[in-house]
Amino acid sequence: MSVTASHVKRAFKYRFYPNDAQAAELSRTFGCVRKVYNLALAARTEAWTRQERVNYNQTSAMLTAWKKTEELAFLNEVSSVPLQQTLRHLQAAFTNFFGKRARYPHFKSRKKSRNSAEYATSGFRFREGRLTLAKMAEPLDIVWSRPLPEGVKPSTVTVSQDAAGRWFVSMLCDDPTVKPLPATDAAVGIDVGLDHLLTLSSGEKIANPRHERRDRARLAKAQRVVAKKAKGDGANRAKARRKVAKVYARITDRRRDYLQKLTTRLVRENQTLVIEDLTVRNMVKNRKLARAISDAAWTEFRSMLEYKAAWYGREVIAVDRWFPSSKLCHSCGTLQEKMPLNVRTWTCACGTTHDRDVNAAKNLLAAGRAVSACGAGVRPQRSSPGGQSAMKQEVSRREP
């Protein structure tokens, strides 16, 4: 999702139900896309060992040559558009790698990689609300859970199948309905946690739904069934694994729906939103808390907050993770030497009694306003000799 001066690029995702012929065609396409990606990655990796670089145009020429070989002649059976698109994705992956924004691209696995194929405008036809992909005689049976903006046509279409066996189509469109909201003076500091998902500087505490915990018994039962099946590619094991995937899909869908509604509300109500710049990938290394932190989905929350703020003309400020938000009195600015984790309320020497989380959110808001005023980052001295910030200490407890 991206924003330009005049419009927003927005993806509209729908579930669809292919017939047998369409499912077979898409399955072949997924396999060919994966094969071409891996072949091109292998070629580029081999060239890299020789200190040579291979670009998209060269891999496109390789694709033409591969199609002419007897071994890879099956690539001619599917549309060439998603095959070219996967080469463009590989080029983007290498661009991000060389720009030090991502790791080196990895090969796609048949079992673990996401089944997907992207079609550019030459690879599909969209007329009167009916989408027909290349190499298909009939349009897809799409469940239109919400309409596309009037008069809008997709620029790219991505078809995918998740681990639970569900089929989805995502259409990237220019959405003229998304416009900046009227400016407001409201600002909020947001402190994330596990006991409460969010604590706002206004004093409001938003409960943590713990979606994974609600389905933990069902998930454990499904995983036990998989563990008892003979290892391999047997149909019974595949069926059991699909049941596990369905439980995970249920958890993911509920979590995403909750975060979508929550972030939309926060963005609509506030002009400035201040959060803490957490390194979640390091936090989940704590084996006692990895499950709870992953279920809270702080990274997904921040991502939604940022792109919606860009859509609607709001501002998201990330305060440095070493800022001692929990130990600092927001009234007088006194920094406490110690703040044991079992202390949820405390009284400062100035006489102010604080709720630990609300105080942290208010301090984040104040720090964010300082960043907005001076245009500089906030990096106070680290709050503990061990190099942990107040927030890192806050989530170092065992999951409640």
Side-chain angles (χ1 to χ4, degrees):
M1 302 179 184
S2 60
V3 182
T4 68
S6 58
H7 60 266
V8 168
K9 284 282 189 181
R10 186 175 184 180
F12 292 82
K13 189 174 182 179
Y14 304 93
R15 190 168 179 180
F16 74 97
Y17 296 86
N19 56 37
D20 292 341
Q22 290 173 336
E25 176 64 27
L26 289 173
S27 295
R28 284 194 299 270
T29 302
F30 294 156
C32 291
V33 165
R34 185 170 52 250
K35 181 68 173 179
V36 169
Y37 185 95
N38 288 341
L39 286 171
L41 177 55
R44 296 185 69 146
T45 301
E46 184 180 351
W48 177 252
T49 59
R50 301 192 304 267
Q51 297 185 345
E52 299 176 2
R53 287 196 181 186
V54 175
N55 57 29
Y56 162 76
N57 292 331
Q58 291 170 294
T59 55
S60 181
M62 291 179 187
L63 174 59
T64 302
W66 293 333
K67 287 183 175 181
K68 296 179 180 179
T69 65
E70 182 178 354
E71 181 183 1
L72 299 175
F74 62 86
L75 296 177
N76 293 290
E77 299 176 2
V78 302
S79 171
S80 62
V81 176
L83 304 185
Q84 293 290 345
Q85 290 296 98
T86 198
L87 295 180
R88 292 188 175 93
H89 293 165
L90 181 60
Q91 178 63 36
F94 271 99
T95 300
N96 290 331
F97 167 70
F98 291 127
K100 298 183 179 180
R101 295 184 295 272
R103 297 181 179 180
Y104 193 83
H106 58 82
F107 291 96
K108 293 184 180 294
S109 166
R110 180 174 64 87
K111 292 183 178 180
K112 297 181 180 180
S113 297
R114 174 172 173 260
N115 287 328
S116 67
E118 183 178 277
Y119 293 79
T121 51
S122 59
F124 66 88
R125 182 174 67 253
F126 185 76
R127 294 177 182 173
E128 299 179 354
R130 296 163 67 87
L131 177 68
T132 306
L133 301 179
K135 299 282 187 178
M136 293 187 184
E138 300 178 4
L140 300 181
D141 181 14
I142 299 174
V143 179
W144 296 99
S145 52
R146 55 176 173 170
L148 288 176
E150 187 175 355
V152 168
K153 292 185 177 181
S155 57
T156 61
V157 168
T158 301
V159 180
S160 61
Q161 184 184 30
D162 66 8
R166 303 179 302 176
W167 296 85
F168 295 95
V169 57
S170 179
M171 305 181 192
L172 186 64
C173 308
D174 292 336
D175 189 356
T177 65
V178 177
K179 298 179 181 179
L181 295 170
T184 176
D185 295 330
V188 66
I190 304 172
D191 182 67
V192 299
L194 297 180
D195 290 336
H196 294 88
L197 182 62
L198 304 178
T199 301
L200 308 183
S201 55
S202 61
E204 179 184 357
K205 293 189 175 184
I206 298 173
N208 186 353
R210 304 182 191 278
H211 299 289
E212 187 270 342
R213 175 177 285 187
R214 289 171 59 186
D215 275 340
R216 188 171 295 177
R218 182 181 302 175
L219 179 61
K221 180 179 179 181
Q223 289 173 329
R224 285 196 297 270
V225 173
V226 173
K228 293 178 182 178
K229 300 297 182 182
K231 293 185 178 180
D233 295 329
N236 287 338
R237 185 175 178 85
K239 183 177 179 180
R241 291 179 64 181
R242 194 173 299 114
K243 288 185 177 180
V244 173
K246 287 182 179 180
V247 179
Y248 274 120
R250 171 187 170 90
I251 294 170
T252 301
D253 289 346
R254 291 189 308 188
R255 181 190 296 127
R256 184 176 295 116
D257 179 69
Y258 183 80
L259 291 178
Q260 288 283 7
K261 294 174 181 177
L262 180 58
T263 52
T264 297
R265 176 206 144 189
L266 292 173
V267 168
R268 289 187 180 277
E269 293 178 354
N270 299 279
Q271 181 68 36
T272 304
L273 304 102
V274 186
I275 58 177
E276 192 167 12
D277 186 21
L278 300 176
T279 309
V280 178
R281 64 178 177 273
N282 290 336
M283 292 183 177
V284 294
K285 294 178 182 178
N286 183 331
R287 296 177 61 186
K288 296 179 181 179
L289 286 171
R291 173 178 280 183
I293 293 174
S294 298
D295 191 31
W298 295 335
T299 300
E300 188 173 10
F301 166 76
R302 175 174 176 174
S303 176
M304 290 182 182
L305 206 63
E306 288 178 337
Y307 79 69
K308 291 180 182 180
W311 282 4
Y312 298 112
R314 303 311 201 197
E315 181 183 20
V316 174
I317 299 174
V319 174
D320 189 272
R321 65 181 65 101
W322 302 116
F323 181 63
S325 55
S326 294
K327 292 183 177 182
L328 193 66
C329 173
H330 78 267
S331 297
C332 67
T334 301
L335 181 63
Q336 305 298 309
E337 292 184 4
K338 295 182 179 180
M339 185 66 61
L341 295 174
N342 61 337
V343 176
R344 309 314 302 166
T345 60
W346 57 280
T347 302
C348 180
C350 68
T352 305
T353 299
H354 299 291
D355 177 287
R356 183 189 186 110
D357 299 329
V358 175
N359 177 65
K362 290 181 177 180
N363 283 323
L364 288 173
L365 176 58
R369 282 174 168 162
V371 171
S372 181
C374 67
V378 177
R379 181 173 285 277
Q381 185 178 0
R382 293 188 178 184
S383 58
S384 66
Q388 285 191 323
S389 69
M391 172 55 72
K392 292 200 176 207
Q393 296 176 34
E394 190 67 29
V395 298
S396 63
R397 294 176 292 168
R398 185 183 298 272
E399 180 186 359

